[in-house]
Short mmCIF file of all heavy atoms in Angstrom, two decimals:
data_model
loop_
_atom_site.label_atom_id
_atom_site.label_comp_id
_atom_site.label_asym_id
_atom_site.label_seq_id
_atom_site.Cartn_x
_atom_site.Cartn_y
_atom_site.Cartn_z
N MET A 1 -192.06 231.13 58.64
CA MET A 1 -193.37 230.56 58.92
C MET A 1 -194.44 231.67 58.76
O MET A 1 -194.29 232.76 59.28
CB MET A 1 -193.39 230.02 60.36
CG MET A 1 -194.75 229.48 60.76
SD MET A 1 -194.79 228.76 62.40
CE MET A 1 -194.81 230.20 63.44
N ILE A 2 -195.48 231.33 58.05
CA ILE A 2 -196.59 232.27 57.88
C ILE A 2 -197.42 232.31 59.16
O ILE A 2 -197.86 231.27 59.64
CB ILE A 2 -197.47 231.86 56.67
CG1 ILE A 2 -196.68 231.88 55.37
CG2 ILE A 2 -198.71 232.76 56.57
CD1 ILE A 2 -196.14 233.25 54.98
N VAL A 3 -197.62 233.49 59.70
CA VAL A 3 -198.43 233.62 60.91
C VAL A 3 -199.79 234.28 60.64
O VAL A 3 -200.69 234.18 61.44
CB VAL A 3 -197.70 234.40 62.01
CG1 VAL A 3 -196.47 233.63 62.48
CG2 VAL A 3 -197.31 235.78 61.53
N CYS A 4 -199.91 234.94 59.51
CA CYS A 4 -201.18 235.55 59.11
C CYS A 4 -201.48 235.10 57.68
O CYS A 4 -200.85 235.57 56.74
CB CYS A 4 -201.10 237.08 59.17
SG CYS A 4 -202.57 237.91 58.53
N SER A 5 -202.44 234.19 57.57
CA SER A 5 -202.75 233.65 56.25
C SER A 5 -203.54 234.65 55.41
O SER A 5 -203.43 234.65 54.19
CB SER A 5 -203.50 232.32 56.37
OG SER A 5 -204.66 232.49 57.14
N CYS A 6 -204.29 235.53 56.04
CA CYS A 6 -205.07 236.51 55.26
C CYS A 6 -204.15 237.48 54.52
O CYS A 6 -204.40 237.83 53.37
CB CYS A 6 -206.00 237.30 56.18
SG CYS A 6 -207.31 236.31 56.92
N ASN A 7 -203.10 237.94 55.21
CA ASN A 7 -202.19 238.92 54.63
C ASN A 7 -200.85 238.30 54.22
O ASN A 7 -199.96 239.02 53.75
CB ASN A 7 -201.93 240.05 55.63
CG ASN A 7 -203.16 240.87 55.88
OD1 ASN A 7 -203.74 241.44 54.95
ND2 ASN A 7 -203.61 240.94 57.12
N VAL A 8 -200.72 236.99 54.40
CA VAL A 8 -199.49 236.25 54.08
C VAL A 8 -198.29 236.94 54.72
O VAL A 8 -197.33 237.32 54.05
CB VAL A 8 -199.30 236.07 52.55
CG1 VAL A 8 -198.21 235.02 52.29
CG2 VAL A 8 -200.59 235.69 51.87
N LEU A 9 -198.36 237.07 56.03
CA LEU A 9 -197.27 237.68 56.81
C LEU A 9 -196.49 236.57 57.52
O LEU A 9 -197.09 235.67 58.12
CB LEU A 9 -197.81 238.65 57.87
CG LEU A 9 -198.61 239.83 57.38
CD1 LEU A 9 -199.09 240.66 58.56
CD2 LEU A 9 -197.78 240.67 56.40
N SER A 10 -195.19 236.69 57.45
CA SER A 10 -194.35 235.70 58.14
C SER A 10 -193.94 236.22 59.52
O SER A 10 -193.99 237.43 59.80
CB SER A 10 -193.09 235.42 57.32
OG SER A 10 -192.25 236.56 57.33
N ALA A 11 -193.51 235.29 60.37
CA ALA A 11 -193.03 235.66 61.69
C ALA A 11 -191.82 236.60 61.55
O ALA A 11 -191.69 237.55 62.34
CB ALA A 11 -192.66 234.41 62.47
N ASP A 12 -190.96 236.37 60.58
CA ASP A 12 -189.80 237.25 60.39
C ASP A 12 -190.23 238.66 60.02
O ASP A 12 -189.61 239.64 60.47
CB ASP A 12 -188.88 236.69 59.31
CG ASP A 12 -188.03 235.54 59.82
OD1 ASP A 12 -187.91 235.37 61.06
OD2 ASP A 12 -187.46 234.81 58.97
N GLN A 13 -191.26 238.80 59.22
CA GLN A 13 -191.76 240.14 58.88
C GLN A 13 -192.26 240.86 60.12
O GLN A 13 -192.03 242.06 60.29
CB GLN A 13 -192.88 240.05 57.84
CG GLN A 13 -192.40 239.72 56.44
CD GLN A 13 -193.59 239.60 55.50
OE1 GLN A 13 -194.36 238.64 55.61
NE2 GLN A 13 -193.74 240.55 54.59
N VAL A 14 -192.96 240.13 60.99
CA VAL A 14 -193.46 240.73 62.23
C VAL A 14 -192.28 241.14 63.11
O VAL A 14 -192.25 242.26 63.65
CB VAL A 14 -194.41 239.76 62.95
CG1 VAL A 14 -194.82 240.33 64.31
CG2 VAL A 14 -195.64 239.47 62.11
N ARG A 15 -191.28 240.28 63.23
CA ARG A 15 -190.10 240.61 64.05
C ARG A 15 -189.37 241.83 63.47
O ARG A 15 -188.93 242.71 64.22
CB ARG A 15 -189.14 239.42 64.10
CG ARG A 15 -189.64 238.29 64.94
CD ARG A 15 -188.57 237.21 65.13
NE ARG A 15 -189.20 235.99 65.57
CZ ARG A 15 -189.48 234.96 64.78
NH1 ARG A 15 -189.15 234.99 63.51
NH2 ARG A 15 -190.09 233.89 65.25
N ASP A 16 -189.25 241.88 62.16
CA ASP A 16 -188.58 243.03 61.54
C ASP A 16 -189.35 244.32 61.79
O ASP A 16 -188.75 245.37 62.06
CB ASP A 16 -188.42 242.80 60.03
CG ASP A 16 -187.36 241.75 59.71
OD1 ASP A 16 -186.56 241.40 60.62
OD2 ASP A 16 -187.34 241.27 58.55
N ALA A 17 -190.68 244.24 61.72
CA ALA A 17 -191.50 245.42 62.00
C ALA A 17 -191.31 245.87 63.44
O ALA A 17 -191.22 247.08 63.72
CB ALA A 17 -192.97 245.13 61.72
N CYS A 18 -191.19 244.92 64.35
CA CYS A 18 -190.96 245.26 65.76
C CYS A 18 -189.59 245.91 65.95
O CYS A 18 -189.45 246.85 66.73
CB CYS A 18 -191.06 244.01 66.63
SG CYS A 18 -192.72 243.34 66.74
N ALA A 19 -188.60 245.40 65.23
CA ALA A 19 -187.23 245.92 65.38
C ALA A 19 -187.11 247.33 64.81
O ALA A 19 -186.33 248.13 65.32
CB ALA A 19 -186.25 244.99 64.69
N THR A 20 -187.86 247.65 63.78
CA THR A 20 -187.70 248.94 63.13
C THR A 20 -188.66 250.01 63.60
O THR A 20 -188.34 251.20 63.51
CB THR A 20 -187.82 248.80 61.60
OG1 THR A 20 -189.09 248.23 61.30
CG2 THR A 20 -186.71 247.94 61.04
N THR A 21 -189.83 249.60 64.08
CA THR A 21 -190.84 250.62 64.42
C THR A 21 -191.36 250.55 65.85
O THR A 21 -192.07 251.45 66.27
CB THR A 21 -192.05 250.52 63.48
OG1 THR A 21 -192.67 249.25 63.65
CG2 THR A 21 -191.61 250.70 62.04
N ALA A 22 -191.05 249.48 66.59
CA ALA A 22 -191.51 249.31 67.96
C ALA A 22 -193.02 249.56 68.11
O ALA A 22 -193.45 250.42 68.88
CB ALA A 22 -190.75 250.21 68.92
N PRO A 23 -193.82 248.78 67.39
CA PRO A 23 -195.28 248.96 67.49
C PRO A 23 -195.78 248.59 68.88
O PRO A 23 -195.17 247.78 69.57
CB PRO A 23 -195.83 247.99 66.43
CG PRO A 23 -194.78 246.94 66.34
CD PRO A 23 -193.47 247.64 66.54
N ARG A 24 -196.88 249.21 69.29
CA ARG A 24 -197.44 248.92 70.60
C ARG A 24 -198.62 247.95 70.53
O ARG A 24 -199.01 247.40 71.55
CB ARG A 24 -197.91 250.22 71.26
CG ARG A 24 -196.76 251.11 71.61
CD ARG A 24 -197.24 252.32 72.31
NE ARG A 24 -196.12 253.16 72.70
CZ ARG A 24 -196.19 254.15 73.55
NH1 ARG A 24 -197.35 254.44 74.09
NH2 ARG A 24 -195.15 254.85 73.85
N THR A 25 -199.22 247.81 69.35
CA THR A 25 -200.36 246.92 69.21
C THR A 25 -200.20 246.08 67.95
O THR A 25 -199.50 246.49 67.00
CB THR A 25 -201.67 247.72 69.08
OG1 THR A 25 -201.62 248.46 67.86
CG2 THR A 25 -201.87 248.67 70.24
N PRO A 26 -200.88 244.94 67.90
CA PRO A 26 -200.87 244.16 66.66
C PRO A 26 -201.38 244.97 65.48
O PRO A 26 -200.89 244.84 64.35
CB PRO A 26 -201.78 242.97 66.97
CG PRO A 26 -201.64 242.78 68.45
CD PRO A 26 -201.52 244.20 68.99
N GLY A 27 -202.34 245.84 65.72
CA GLY A 27 -202.86 246.69 64.63
C GLY A 27 -201.78 247.55 64.02
O GLY A 27 -201.76 247.80 62.80
N GLN A 28 -200.87 248.02 64.85
CA GLN A 28 -199.77 248.83 64.33
C GLN A 28 -198.80 247.98 63.50
O GLN A 28 -198.18 248.48 62.57
CB GLN A 28 -199.04 249.53 65.47
CG GLN A 28 -199.87 250.63 66.10
CD GLN A 28 -199.18 251.26 67.30
OE1 GLN A 28 -198.35 250.64 67.95
NE2 GLN A 28 -199.56 252.49 67.59
N VAL A 29 -198.68 246.71 63.86
CA VAL A 29 -197.82 245.81 63.07
C VAL A 29 -198.40 245.66 61.67
O VAL A 29 -197.68 245.77 60.67
CB VAL A 29 -197.69 244.42 63.75
CG1 VAL A 29 -196.99 243.43 62.82
CG2 VAL A 29 -196.94 244.54 65.05
N TYR A 30 -199.71 245.43 61.58
CA TYR A 30 -200.33 245.33 60.26
C TYR A 30 -200.06 246.60 59.45
O TYR A 30 -199.70 246.54 58.28
CB TYR A 30 -201.85 245.14 60.36
CG TYR A 30 -202.30 243.88 61.05
CD1 TYR A 30 -202.98 243.95 62.26
CD2 TYR A 30 -202.11 242.64 60.48
CE1 TYR A 30 -203.42 242.81 62.89
CE2 TYR A 30 -202.55 241.49 61.11
CZ TYR A 30 -203.21 241.58 62.32
OH TYR A 30 -203.66 240.44 62.94
N GLY A 31 -200.25 247.73 60.09
CA GLY A 31 -200.03 249.00 59.39
C GLY A 31 -198.60 249.16 58.93
O GLY A 31 -198.35 249.61 57.82
N CYS A 32 -197.65 248.78 59.78
CA CYS A 32 -196.23 248.87 59.42
C CYS A 32 -195.92 247.99 58.21
O CYS A 32 -195.01 248.30 57.43
CB CYS A 32 -195.35 248.43 60.57
SG CYS A 32 -195.37 249.57 61.96
N LEU A 33 -196.67 246.91 58.06
CA LEU A 33 -196.41 245.98 56.96
C LEU A 33 -197.34 246.25 55.76
O LEU A 33 -197.41 245.46 54.85
CB LEU A 33 -196.56 244.54 57.46
CG LEU A 33 -195.51 244.15 58.52
CD1 LEU A 33 -195.82 242.79 59.12
CD2 LEU A 33 -194.11 244.17 57.90
N GLY A 34 -198.05 247.36 55.81
CA GLY A 34 -198.84 247.77 54.66
C GLY A 34 -200.14 247.03 54.47
O GLY A 34 -200.66 246.93 53.35
N CYS A 35 -200.68 246.49 55.56
CA CYS A 35 -201.96 245.77 55.42
C CYS A 35 -202.82 246.09 56.64
O CYS A 35 -202.46 246.92 57.47
CB CYS A 35 -201.71 244.27 55.28
SG CYS A 35 -200.81 243.55 56.64
N SER A 36 -203.93 245.40 56.75
CA SER A 36 -204.83 245.60 57.89
C SER A 36 -205.38 244.25 58.30
O SER A 36 -205.41 243.31 57.49
CB SER A 36 -205.95 246.57 57.52
OG SER A 36 -206.68 246.06 56.44
N PRO A 37 -205.83 244.13 59.56
CA PRO A 37 -206.38 242.85 59.99
C PRO A 37 -207.63 242.49 59.20
O PRO A 37 -208.44 243.36 58.88
CB PRO A 37 -206.70 243.06 61.47
CG PRO A 37 -206.64 244.51 61.70
CD PRO A 37 -205.85 245.14 60.61
N GLN A 38 -207.75 241.21 58.91
CA GLN A 38 -208.94 240.72 58.18
C GLN A 38 -209.80 239.89 59.15
O GLN A 38 -210.75 240.39 59.69
CB GLN A 38 -208.50 239.90 56.97
CG GLN A 38 -207.60 240.65 56.01
CD GLN A 38 -208.28 241.86 55.39
OE1 GLN A 38 -209.40 241.76 54.94
NE2 GLN A 38 -207.59 242.99 55.40
N CYS A 39 -209.42 238.63 59.35
CA CYS A 39 -210.23 237.77 60.24
C CYS A 39 -209.84 237.94 61.70
O CYS A 39 -210.63 237.64 62.60
CB CYS A 39 -210.10 236.31 59.83
SG CYS A 39 -208.51 235.57 60.23
N GLY A 40 -208.60 238.36 61.97
CA GLY A 40 -208.14 238.58 63.34
C GLY A 40 -207.63 237.35 64.07
O GLY A 40 -207.21 237.44 65.22
N ARG A 41 -207.64 236.19 63.42
CA ARG A 41 -207.21 234.97 64.10
C ARG A 41 -205.72 235.00 64.48
O ARG A 41 -205.30 234.30 65.37
CB ARG A 41 -207.47 233.74 63.22
CG ARG A 41 -208.90 233.33 63.17
CD ARG A 41 -209.08 232.11 62.32
NE ARG A 41 -208.64 232.41 60.94
CZ ARG A 41 -208.75 231.60 59.95
NH1 ARG A 41 -209.21 230.39 60.12
NH2 ARG A 41 -208.36 231.96 58.75
N CYS A 42 -204.95 235.80 63.79
CA CYS A 42 -203.50 235.83 64.03
C CYS A 42 -203.11 236.84 65.10
O CYS A 42 -201.92 236.92 65.47
CB CYS A 42 -202.78 236.18 62.73
SG CYS A 42 -203.29 237.76 62.08
N ALA A 43 -204.01 237.63 65.59
CA ALA A 43 -203.67 238.73 66.50
C ALA A 43 -202.93 238.23 67.73
O ALA A 43 -201.95 238.85 68.16
CB ALA A 43 -204.92 239.50 66.90
N ARG A 44 -203.38 237.12 68.30
CA ARG A 44 -202.71 236.60 69.50
C ARG A 44 -201.28 236.16 69.19
O ARG A 44 -200.36 236.43 69.95
CB ARG A 44 -203.51 235.43 70.07
CG ARG A 44 -202.90 234.89 71.36
CD ARG A 44 -203.73 233.81 71.95
NE ARG A 44 -204.98 234.39 72.49
CZ ARG A 44 -205.91 233.71 73.12
NH1 ARG A 44 -205.77 232.43 73.30
NH2 ARG A 44 -206.98 234.32 73.57
N THR A 45 -201.08 235.53 68.06
CA THR A 45 -199.73 235.09 67.65
C THR A 45 -198.84 236.29 67.40
O THR A 45 -197.67 236.32 67.81
CB THR A 45 -199.82 234.21 66.40
OG1 THR A 45 -200.65 233.09 66.68
CG2 THR A 45 -198.44 233.74 65.96
N ILE A 46 -199.37 237.29 66.72
CA ILE A 46 -198.58 238.49 66.45
C ILE A 46 -198.22 239.19 67.76
O ILE A 46 -197.09 239.65 67.95
CB ILE A 46 -199.34 239.42 65.50
CG1 ILE A 46 -199.33 238.81 64.10
CG2 ILE A 46 -198.73 240.83 65.48
CD1 ILE A 46 -200.08 239.56 63.05
N ARG A 47 -199.15 239.23 68.69
CA ARG A 47 -198.88 239.83 70.01
C ARG A 47 -197.73 239.08 70.70
O ARG A 47 -196.85 239.68 71.31
CB ARG A 47 -200.15 239.77 70.86
CG ARG A 47 -199.99 240.34 72.24
CD ARG A 47 -200.09 241.84 72.20
NE ARG A 47 -198.90 242.43 72.74
CZ ARG A 47 -198.68 243.73 72.85
NH1 ARG A 47 -199.57 244.59 72.43
NH2 ARG A 47 -197.59 244.20 73.33
N GLN A 48 -197.76 237.74 70.62
CA GLN A 48 -196.72 236.93 71.25
C GLN A 48 -195.36 237.21 70.61
O GLN A 48 -194.36 237.35 71.31
CB GLN A 48 -197.07 235.45 71.12
CG GLN A 48 -196.07 234.54 71.82
CD GLN A 48 -196.49 233.07 71.73
OE1 GLN A 48 -197.50 232.71 71.11
NE2 GLN A 48 -195.72 232.22 72.36
N ILE A 49 -195.32 237.28 69.30
CA ILE A 49 -194.05 237.59 68.61
C ILE A 49 -193.57 238.98 69.00
O ILE A 49 -192.39 239.19 69.25
CB ILE A 49 -194.23 237.47 67.08
CG1 ILE A 49 -194.50 236.02 66.70
CG2 ILE A 49 -192.99 237.99 66.35
CD1 ILE A 49 -194.97 235.84 65.27
N MET A 50 -194.49 239.93 69.07
CA MET A 50 -194.13 241.28 69.51
C MET A 50 -193.51 241.26 70.90
O MET A 50 -192.47 241.88 71.14
CB MET A 50 -195.37 242.18 69.56
CG MET A 50 -195.94 242.57 68.22
SD MET A 50 -197.53 243.43 68.45
CE MET A 50 -197.00 244.86 69.39
N ASP A 51 -194.16 240.57 71.83
CA ASP A 51 -193.67 240.53 73.21
C ASP A 51 -192.27 239.93 73.26
O ASP A 51 -191.41 240.44 73.96
CB ASP A 51 -194.63 239.73 74.10
CG ASP A 51 -195.94 240.45 74.33
OD1 ASP A 51 -196.02 241.66 74.05
OD2 ASP A 51 -196.90 239.79 74.80
N GLU A 52 -192.05 238.86 72.52
CA GLU A 52 -190.73 238.21 72.50
C GLU A 52 -189.69 239.13 71.87
O GLU A 52 -188.58 239.29 72.37
CB GLU A 52 -190.80 236.90 71.72
CG GLU A 52 -191.61 235.84 72.43
CD GLU A 52 -191.89 234.62 71.56
OE1 GLU A 52 -191.46 234.60 70.39
OE2 GLU A 52 -192.57 233.71 72.05
N ALA A 53 -190.03 239.76 70.75
CA ALA A 53 -189.07 240.61 70.05
C ALA A 53 -188.73 241.86 70.87
O ALA A 53 -187.56 242.25 70.95
CB ALA A 53 -189.64 241.01 68.69
N LEU A 54 -189.73 242.47 71.47
CA LEU A 54 -189.48 243.68 72.21
C LEU A 54 -188.79 243.39 73.53
O LEU A 54 -187.94 244.17 73.98
CB LEU A 54 -190.79 244.45 72.43
CG LEU A 54 -191.43 244.94 71.13
CD1 LEU A 54 -192.80 245.55 71.41
CD2 LEU A 54 -190.54 245.93 70.41
N ALA A 55 -189.06 242.23 74.16
CA ALA A 55 -188.36 241.85 75.38
C ALA A 55 -186.90 241.58 75.07
O ALA A 55 -186.01 241.99 75.80
CB ALA A 55 -189.01 240.62 76.00
N CYS A 56 -186.66 240.91 73.95
CA CYS A 56 -185.29 240.61 73.55
C CYS A 56 -184.53 241.90 73.24
O CYS A 56 -183.37 242.01 73.55
CB CYS A 56 -185.29 239.70 72.34
SG CYS A 56 -183.66 239.12 71.88
N ALA A 57 -185.22 242.85 72.66
CA ALA A 57 -184.54 244.10 72.30
C ALA A 57 -183.99 244.81 73.52
O ALA A 57 -182.98 245.51 73.44
CB ALA A 57 -185.52 245.02 71.57
N SER A 58 -184.64 244.62 74.65
CA SER A 58 -184.18 245.31 75.83
C SER A 58 -183.25 244.49 76.70
O SER A 58 -182.58 245.02 77.57
CB SER A 58 -185.39 245.77 76.67
OG SER A 58 -186.10 244.63 77.10
N SER A 59 -183.18 243.17 76.46
CA SER A 59 -182.38 242.36 77.37
C SER A 59 -181.42 241.40 76.69
O SER A 59 -180.64 240.76 77.36
CB SER A 59 -183.31 241.58 78.28
OG SER A 59 -184.10 240.69 77.52
N CYS A 60 -181.45 241.30 75.39
CA CYS A 60 -180.62 240.31 74.71
C CYS A 60 -179.85 240.95 73.56
O CYS A 60 -180.38 241.10 72.46
CB CYS A 60 -181.49 239.17 74.18
SG CYS A 60 -180.55 237.90 73.34
N PRO A 61 -178.62 241.37 73.79
CA PRO A 61 -177.87 242.06 72.73
C PRO A 61 -177.51 241.18 71.54
O PRO A 61 -177.15 241.70 70.49
CB PRO A 61 -176.62 242.54 73.46
CG PRO A 61 -176.49 241.62 74.63
CD PRO A 61 -177.88 241.24 75.03
N CYS A 62 -177.66 239.86 71.67
CA CYS A 62 -177.31 238.99 70.55
C CYS A 62 -178.46 238.72 69.60
O CYS A 62 -178.29 238.10 68.57
CB CYS A 62 -176.78 237.65 71.09
SG CYS A 62 -177.99 236.76 72.07
N CYS A 63 -179.66 239.20 69.92
CA CYS A 63 -180.84 238.91 69.11
C CYS A 63 -180.78 239.66 67.77
O CYS A 63 -180.69 240.89 67.76
CB CYS A 63 -182.11 239.28 69.84
SG CYS A 63 -183.59 238.97 68.87
N PRO A 64 -180.85 238.94 66.64
CA PRO A 64 -180.81 239.62 65.35
C PRO A 64 -182.07 240.43 65.06
O PRO A 64 -182.07 241.26 64.17
CB PRO A 64 -180.66 238.48 64.34
CG PRO A 64 -181.26 237.31 65.03
CD PRO A 64 -180.97 237.50 66.50
N HIS A 65 -183.12 240.21 65.84
CA HIS A 65 -184.37 240.92 65.61
C HIS A 65 -184.57 242.06 66.61
O HIS A 65 -185.53 242.78 66.52
CB HIS A 65 -185.55 239.97 65.67
CG HIS A 65 -185.41 238.85 64.69
ND1 HIS A 65 -185.51 239.05 63.34
CD2 HIS A 65 -185.14 237.56 64.86
CE1 HIS A 65 -185.32 237.90 62.73
NE2 HIS A 65 -185.11 236.99 63.63
N GLY A 66 -183.70 242.18 67.55
CA GLY A 66 -183.84 243.21 68.58
C GLY A 66 -183.31 244.55 68.10
O GLY A 66 -182.76 244.69 67.02
N ARG A 67 -183.49 245.54 68.95
CA ARG A 67 -183.04 246.88 68.62
C ARG A 67 -181.79 247.25 69.40
O ARG A 67 -181.37 248.39 69.37
CB ARG A 67 -184.15 247.88 68.92
CG ARG A 67 -185.34 247.74 67.99
CD ARG A 67 -186.45 248.68 68.37
NE ARG A 67 -187.05 248.18 69.61
CZ ARG A 67 -187.44 248.96 70.61
NH1 ARG A 67 -187.34 250.24 70.54
NH2 ARG A 67 -187.96 248.45 71.69
N ALA A 68 -181.22 246.28 70.11
CA ALA A 68 -180.07 246.59 70.97
C ALA A 68 -178.88 247.12 70.19
O ALA A 68 -178.08 247.88 70.73
CB ALA A 68 -179.69 245.35 71.76
N SER A 69 -178.75 246.76 68.93
CA SER A 69 -177.57 247.19 68.17
C SER A 69 -177.75 248.56 67.54
O SER A 69 -176.84 249.09 66.94
CB SER A 69 -177.29 246.16 67.06
OG SER A 69 -178.39 246.08 66.19
N GLU A 70 -178.94 249.16 67.67
CA GLU A 70 -179.18 250.49 67.08
C GLU A 70 -178.54 251.57 67.90
O GLU A 70 -178.35 251.47 69.06
CB GLU A 70 -180.68 250.77 66.95
CG GLU A 70 -181.31 249.89 65.89
CD GLU A 70 -182.80 250.17 65.75
OE1 GLU A 70 -183.29 251.19 66.27
OE2 GLU A 70 -183.47 249.41 65.12
S1 FES B 1 -204.96 235.35 59.71
FE1 FES B 1 -204.29 237.37 60.08
S2 FES B 1 -206.02 238.60 59.69
FE2 FES B 1 -206.65 236.60 59.20
#
């Protein structure tokens, strides 16, 4: 699912960026994916995906997007 129409970023791309780089802000997610925020409408959604991915990384060893297996 595309979550950022300006940069054509998918939710999976955001989860992968969280799993590999552990960004602290949505701005860092854009940077990890080689782009920058444009309109900013997706920032809240990206933050939500970050929170879910990073929470799962610390508490859910079965999550394919988490960092528990590293
Ligand atoms: S929808 Fe992501 S910056 Fe515009």
